[in-house]
Amino acid sequence: MSGIVRTITGKCRMCYACVRNCPVKAIRVVDGQAQVVPERCIACGYCVRVCSQQAKMIESEIEIVKEFLEHEKTVACLAPSFVAEFHPAWPGQVACALRKLGFYEVHEVAFGAYLVTQEYLRFLKEVGESQGFISTPCPAVVNLVQKYFPRLIPRLVPIVSPAVALGRYLKKKLGPGIKVVFIGPCVAKKDEARAEEVAGAIDAVLTYPELKQMLQEKGIEVTSVEDEGFDNPKPELGRLYPIGGGLLRSAGMMADILESRLLVIEGRDDCLEFLKAANEGKMVPQLVDMLFCKGCIEGPMMQNEYSSFRRRRIVAEFTREGLALGEQGKTGGREDLAVYLNGVNLRREFRDERVHLPQPSEAEIRAIMAELGKMGPEDELNCGACGYSSCREKAIAVYQGLAENEMCLPYLILQLQKSNLRLKQELNTVRKQFGDIVGKSLAMQEVYRLIEKVAPTDATVLIRGESGTGKELVARAIHYRSLRSDGPFISINCAALPETLLESELFGHAKGAFTGAVTSKRGLFEEAHQGTLFLDEIGDISLGLQSKLLRVLQEGEFIRVGETRPRKVDVRVIAATNRDLEKAIKEGSFRPELFYRLNVVTIWLPPLRERRDDIPLLARHFLQRACQRLGKEIKGFTAEAMDALVRADWPGNVRELENVVERAAILCEGDKIELGDLPREIRNRAANATGWAYTKGMTFREAVQAYEVQLLLKALEESKWVQARAAEILGLKRSTLNEMLKRYRISPKMVKMYSENRM
C-alpha cells in the first residue's frame, strides 16, 4: 500500500491523538508532523476518525470514478451497511440516485457475501475437523495478520471478501472491460483493491463521504428520487455481513459460548487481544469470525449519527424484508448458484508483509530516556500523552525513527517552566535598564537620572511633553524599576473614551448600572492592584471624573459605577499629558488640587528637535525593528539620508521618526536606505546643508562619506554627467572616479534628484 492515508502538512497540531489511537503505531512523527507510515499501516482509518484538526486525508478516487462514468460501462457495488448510512432514504432510492450519477448497474455487495458464504461451507467440508481457522471479510484484519502476525497467515481462510467476490462475478458476467466501483464505509477497501492477490476485481473504491460529494455536485437528493430495484440476484442472508457474526449466521452456524468452537470477534481491542493470544498458541477454536470495527456498520467513514444499535436494527429489518418478500433483483434462487459461480474463483492467497525494524539495546534505551532526564524507573511516568503506553515503548519508537524524543509532555512542561524562569530573569535584567528608551543626549541623561531617583518610591509621577516623545515608555521604565515590577502595568488613553465609558473603565461597574451592563465588571484600578496604572492624556478628563480620581489618590479607595460601597486599592499612578495644565487651571478646566497631587515629581521629555544627537541612534534602532518585521536585510542609511533625518523638524517627534523609517524600509530596494526612500518634505532639507550642520549626529566615517558624496554630486551636476570632465574638476583619475561612483552607487537618477531638491 502506498499513501491511502496521508497527513496534510501544517494542519497537524502535535496532539498525538493518531499515535495514541493507531493500533499498530504506524505513525512517524517528523518535525512535529504525525505522518502515516504506509508499509506499517493496516488502513483501519482510526487516525482519520480521531484527528480533530482534520489533518489526515484519505486518498480520493472521485476523479477516477468520474472518468469511468464518462467513458466506460461502470457498475456500482454497495456495501451492505449502506441502508444504515442513507436511512431514512429507501434502499431503492440509493440505487436510483446512483443510476442518475451514470452507473450502468447497481449491485449489493450482500450478494457477494452470499457467494462467499457458500464458498466457506465448501471449505469447511474440505478441512473437516481441523482447528484454528480465522475467517474475515475485513481487509484491515487481513493487513493486521500479514504485517504483524505472519505466523497466523496459514490460519486465514483463503477465501476472498464479498466485495472481491462480487467484482469477480461481475467481470465474468458482464465482461472484463466493465468497471467495478465499490462504495462503503471502509478505508481498508482502497488498500484491498490494490492487493496483488485480488487485483482486477475492483477498479475503484468510494467511501460514503466521497459518494455524497459526487451526489451533491450533481444536485441529486437521495430522498427525492424514485425507489428502484437492484440488478443483483437474491442475496439471502448476505445482508447481515456488516453485523458481527453475520458470516456465521448466513452460513447457518452459531457461536457456542459453552463449547467455544465458533467465536465472533469484533472491535479493535478484541481483535488485537485474540491475535496475540492465538500467536502464542493460547486460543485455538475451530473457527473465528473477525471484524476490526464493531461491525461494518461502525466503519470509519460512516457519517450518520445513529447509535450502533439503531444501525444494527436497520440492517436486520432490511434483511428480514428481503427474505419475507422472497424476491430481489432480476434472477433469484439458490438453485442458480452453480450458474453464478461458473468459472468464478473465490479463493485467494496471503503473503508475509512484516516490516523488520531495528531493536535497540538496553543501553540505547536508557540513553534515549536519559536525554529527557529519565534516569531510573521512578522518572518513567508512563502517562501516555505521547501516544505510547510506556516511556520505554516510546524510547524504542525514537530509536526506530517513528517518534521524536521531545514528544514527552512532562519533559515539555519542565522545559517550559525552565524557559519561563529564564525569560523572567532576562526580563528582570532588561527592566533594570530603560526598556525601549533610546538616546544618549544630555537631555535624555537627565530623564534617566530622574527615572532612577523616582522609580524605587511610590510617588505619583507626572510625565510631560509633546505627543510622540515616548511618555508611556518612560512610565513603563519607572514601573519595571520599581518595587511593583512583579505587579501589573495597566495603561489607558483617557482622551480616547467618552466620560461615562472612561469612568466605567477606570472604576468598574455593577450589574445593571446602566443599559448594557449585563454583568459586573472590574475596573482598571482593580486590575492594577499592587501594580502601576498609567493615565495618558490626563489633561483631557472631565472635572467630574477629576474629583473621583482625586479621591483614589488621596484615600486609596473608589466606588464602582452603580454601587455605594467604597473599595480599597493599592495602585501607583503615573500620569502624562501634552497640555499646559497651568493654563488649564487658570481657565477652570483642570482642578488645581488634582494637579498638585499628580505633580509630586515631574519628568519633562524633550521634543526630538531638541535632541538631534539621538536621531541616528533612534533611526538605526527603528530600522532594525522594521527589518525584523519585514524580513529584510538593510544595513543602514546613506549619509544623505541620515543627514535629512537629522535636519528634519519632527513635529510628531519619535513616533513620526519611527513611521518614516518603517516607510523607508518598505520602499528600500538596496542594502541601505537612500535619500530617495524618504518623504520629499524630509529630503528637501538635506539639499543645501554644509559644514557642521550637515554632519552633526554622524560618526566620523559617515561624515567623511557624506562630504565625498556631496562633492561628487556637485561635480557631476556641473559637468552634466560627463565623467571625464567631473574627474578633472575634482582632480581625480578617471578610474578613481568610476570606483567611487560604484562604491556610493551614484547614478544620473540620484544627480537629477539632487538637483530637484536644491530648487
Side-chain angles (χ1 to χ4, degrees):
M1 181 189 63
S2 174
I4 297 296
V5 182
R6 65 181 182 86
T7 299
I8 303 173
T9 303
K11 292 192 73 173
C12 178
R13 300 290 296 276
M14 296 186 291
C15 68
Y16 307 131
C18 58
V19 181
R20 280 192 294 277
N21 287 275
C22 179
V24 293
K25 297 295 182 279
I27 305 290
R28 176 185 290 120
V29 179
V30 181
D31 296 330
Q33 299 291 292
Q35 303 170 356
V36 177
V37 183
E39 59 270 19
R40 290 178 59 84
C41 180
I42 62 172
C44 65
Y46 271 82
C47 60
V48 180
R49 176 182 285 182
V50 301
C51 184
S52 62
Q53 299 300 313
Q54 297 182 328
K56 294 291 182 290
M57 174 183 289
I58 300 171
E59 180 180 335
S60 174
E61 298 183 43
I62 290 177
E63 295 305 317
I64 296 174
V65 175
K66 286 181 178 178
E67 189 74 14
F68 288 166
L69 292 174
E70 187 173 350
H71 300 105
E72 310 281 353
K73 281 187 176 181
T74 307
V75 178
C77 298
L78 273 172
S81 59
F82 84 94
V83 289
E85 175 65 17
F86 287 91
H87 189 81
W90 293 104
Q93 288 181 304
V94 180
C96 180
L98 286 168
R99 292 192 181 97
K100 286 182 177 295
L101 268 182
F103 284 98
Y104 173 64
E105 289 187 0
V106 181
H107 289 253
E108 293 180 82
V109 175
F111 175 67
Y114 165 69
L115 298 179
V116 166
T117 298
Q118 306 313 309
E119 191 68 18
Y120 266 98
L121 291 173
R122 235 186 330 268
F123 173 79
L124 291 176
K125 286 183 179 179
E126 293 173 8
V127 298
E129 296 299 320
S130 298
Q131 300 288 311
F133 288 104
I134 300 172
S135 70
T136 179
C138 177
V141 172
V142 172
N143 287 336
L144 183 61
V145 173
Q146 291 185 139
K147 294 184 178 185
Y148 294 93
F149 301 97
R151 286 181 55 192
L152 300 179
I153 289 177
R155 300 287 98 193
L156 287 173
V157 177
I159 296 176
V160 298
S161 69
V164 173
L166 181 60
R168 288 180 177 178
Y169 161 77
L170 290 172
K171 297 274 184 173
K172 182 69 175 178
K173 176 187 176 187
L174 301 176
I178 201 77
K179 297 299 180 184
V180 176
V181 177
F182 173 86
I183 302 169
C186 184
V187 176
K189 282 296 179 187
K190 290 180 179 282
D191 179 36
E192 181 185 39
R194 302 177 183 183
E196 183 179 333
E197 294 78 12
V198 296
I202 301 172
D203 298 292
V205 174
L206 293 177
T207 61
Y208 289 143
E210 288 175 292
L211 173 59
K212 290 177 181 179
Q213 180 181 332
M214 293 181 67
L215 292 170
Q216 186 177 16
E217 289 174 358
K218 288 287 187 178
I220 300 172
E221 178 58 52
V222 177
T223 55
S224 300
V225 299
E226 296 177 3
D227 185 4
E228 299 179 350
F230 292 89
D231 296 292
N232 54 271
K234 187 176 180 181
E236 299 286 346
L237 290 171
R239 289 173 174 170
L240 289 178
Y241 261 61
I243 299 174
L247 186 152
L248 296 180
R249 178 69 179 85
S250 65
M253 298 182 291
M254 297 297 292
D256 191 329
I257 297 176
L258 295 177
E259 295 186 10
S260 297
R261 282 191 322 107
L262 305 176
L263 292 181
V264 175
I265 306 291
E266 55 179 335
R268 177 187 65 177
D269 296 337
D270 287 349
C271 282
L272 287 169
E273 184 178 354
F274 172 81
L275 289 175
K276 288 176 182 177
N279 196 50
E280 297 170 0
K282 297 178 181 178
M283 292 290 290
V284 191
Q286 181 181 8
L287 182 67
V288 178
D289 183 22
M290 298 184 68
L291 291 175
F292 198 76
C293 299
K294 292 283 188 179
C296 298
I297 54 173
E298 292 295 309
M301 293 295 103
M302 293 289 287
Q303 286 190 316
N304 68 41
E305 297 180 355
Y306 296 145
S307 68
S308 60
F309 304 105
R310 178 83 183 276
R311 292 173 180 173
R312 181 185 292 265
R313 195 176 81 180
I314 292 170
V315 171
E317 287 177 354
F318 182 46
T319 304
R320 278 196 300 271
E321 289 171 4
L323 293 173
L325 290 173
E327 58 83 23
Q328 177 69 30
K330 296 178 178 178
T331 61
R334 192 179 298 266
E335 65 278 1
D336 296 320
L337 181 61
V339 177
Y340 300 152
L341 295 179
N342 183 30
V344 178
N345 179 19
L346 298 186
R347 300 292 175 100
R348 65 162 295 176
E349 294 179 349
F350 302 99
R351 60 178 174 175
D352 187 335
E353 295 183 357
R354 78 183 88 186
V355 178
H356 296 280
L357 293 175
Q359 294 299 316
S361 65
E362 180 63 23
E364 288 168 327
I365 294 175
R366 300 305 321 170
I368 291 171
M369 291 198 290
E371 292 178 6
L372 303 181
K374 301 178 188 295
M375 301 303 180
E378 67 278 4
D379 299 319
E380 298 173 23
L381 301 183
N382 301 327
C383 65
C386 61
Y388 292 89
S389 59
S390 69
C391 297
R392 289 181 61 84
E393 185 183 350
K394 197 215 55 172
I396 294 171
V398 170
Y399 181 85
Q400 294 170 337
L402 297 176
E404 294 177 328
N405 220 5
E406 294 74 15
M407 290 164 56
C408 178
L409 182 60
Y411 170 77
L412 290 177
I413 292 174
L414 180 61
Q415 292 301 109
L416 182 61
Q417 290 171 339
K418 290 180 178 179
S419 178
N420 284 341
L421 179 60
R422 184 175 65 255
L423 288 174
K424 285 181 179 179
Q425 292 170 342
E426 292 176 0
L427 181 60
N428 288 333
T429 301
V430 172
R431 286 171 173 176
K432 291 177 181 177
Q433 306 303 317
F434 295 99
D436 285 333
I437 304 176
V438 177
K440 294 182 179 179
S441 61
L442 291 176
M444 290 307 297
Q445 293 298 327
E446 177 62 17
V447 171
Y448 297 148
R449 188 185 68 81
L450 288 173
I451 292 174
E452 291 274 14
K453 291 286 187 182
V454 74
T457 73
D458 262 350
T460 305
V461 180
L462 180 62
I463 305 171
R464 306 182 71 171
E466 297 178 7
S467 292
T469 51
K471 294 186 285 293
E472 184 170 343
L473 291 179
V474 172
R476 288 183 181 275
I478 293 172
H479 169 74
Y480 290 132
R481 296 177 68 82
S482 72
L483 299 177
R484 298 173 177 267
S485 59
D486 288 334
F489 176 88
I490 307 294
S491 172
I492 184 172
N493 187 333
C494 299
L497 299 173
E499 179 181 357
T500 53
L501 186 54
L502 179 60
E503 182 178 2
S504 173
E505 283 294 308
L506 289 175
F507 305 121
H509 62 253
K511 180 179 179 181
F514 50 83
T515 303
V518 294
T519 61
S520 60
K521 176 187 175 182
R522 286 160 55 94
L524 296 185
F525 271 101
E526 288 180 87
E527 296 290 345
H529 182 63
Q530 295 185 337
T532 301
L533 179 61
F534 174 58
L535 303 175
D536 199 6
E537 306 300 345
I538 190 71
D540 292 310
I541 65 175
S542 66
L543 288 171
L545 202 52
Q546 287 177 33
S547 62
K548 295 178 180 180
L549 182 58
L550 180 62
R551 176 177 180 174
V552 182
L553 295 175
Q554 288 179 334
E555 308 296 335
E557 62 182 31
F558 66 94
I559 300 176
R560 283 185 180 180
V561 177
E563 290 186 350
T564 57
R565 179 178 60 84
R567 296 171 179 264
K568 286 286 185 180
V569 72
D570 175 19
V571 174
R572 181 183 193 172
V573 173
I574 300 176
T577 184
N578 61 3
R579 292 188 61 190
D580 185 344
L581 293 184
E582 289 83 357
K583 182 179 179 182
I585 291 172
K586 292 179 181 179
E587 294 173 350
S589 61
F590 201 85
R591 292 181 177 274
E593 58 271 30
L594 178 59
F595 174 73
Y596 299 137
R597 175 62 66 175
L598 292 172
N599 197 30
V600 176
V601 177
T602 297
I603 297 178
W604 286 89
L605 290 184
L608 193 54
R609 61 184 174 275
E610 294 180 9
R611 44 183 289 225
R612 294 184 187 275
D613 291 356
D614 291 332
I615 291 177
L617 269 177
L618 287 163
R620 295 187 190 100
H621 173 70
F622 293 141
L623 176 60
Q624 184 179 16
R625 295 207 313 197
C627 287
Q628 289 175 348
R629 287 195 299 269
L630 300 172
K632 285 190 168 185
E633 292 186 7
I634 303 174
K635 296 178 181 179
F637 301 80
T638 63
E640 298 77 21
M642 183 61 76
D643 171 68
L645 296 177
V646 171
R647 291 178 57 77
D649 287 337
W650 302 113
N653 292 292
V654 178
R655 187 181 297 122
E656 182 186 2
L657 173 62
E658 182 177 11
N659 293 337
V660 167
V661 170
E662 183 170 9
R663 171 190 182 275
I666 293 171
L667 298 178
C668 180
E669 296 180 352
D671 61 355
K672 282 192 175 185
I673 289 178
E674 300 179 354
L675 188 62
D677 297 322
L678 302 178
R680 176 177 290 275
E681 64 273 14
I682 290 179
R683 67 176 187 250
N684 282 346
R685 296 184 175 276
N688 297 308
T690 59
W692 176 247
Y694 178 67
T695 60
K696 185 177 181 182
M698 299 183 190
T699 65
F700 178 79
R701 185 176 181 181
E702 288 173 337
V704 171
Q705 290 176 346
Y707 189 66
E708 285 183 351
V709 170
Q710 277 214 335
L711 289 176
L712 291 171
L713 290 173
K714 288 178 180 179
L716 289 167
E717 181 186 22
E718 185 176 331
S719 66
K720 298 179 180 173
W721 198 253
V722 178
Q723 294 186 28
R725 175 62 182 149
E728 184 180 340
I729 292 172
L730 294 170
L732 298 173
K733 292 180 181 180
R734 175 74 177 272
S735 60
T736 304
L737 176 64
N738 281 331
E739 189 276 328
M740 294 181 72
L741 294 179
K742 289 179 182 178
R743 187 195 319 155
Y744 294 124
R745 295 185 300 173
I746 295 176
S747 63
K749 179 182 177 182
M750 180 182 289
V751 175
K752 181 180 178 183
M753 185 185 299
Y754 176 78
S755 300
E756 289 175 352
N757 287 341
R758 294 186 64 189
M759 297 173 61

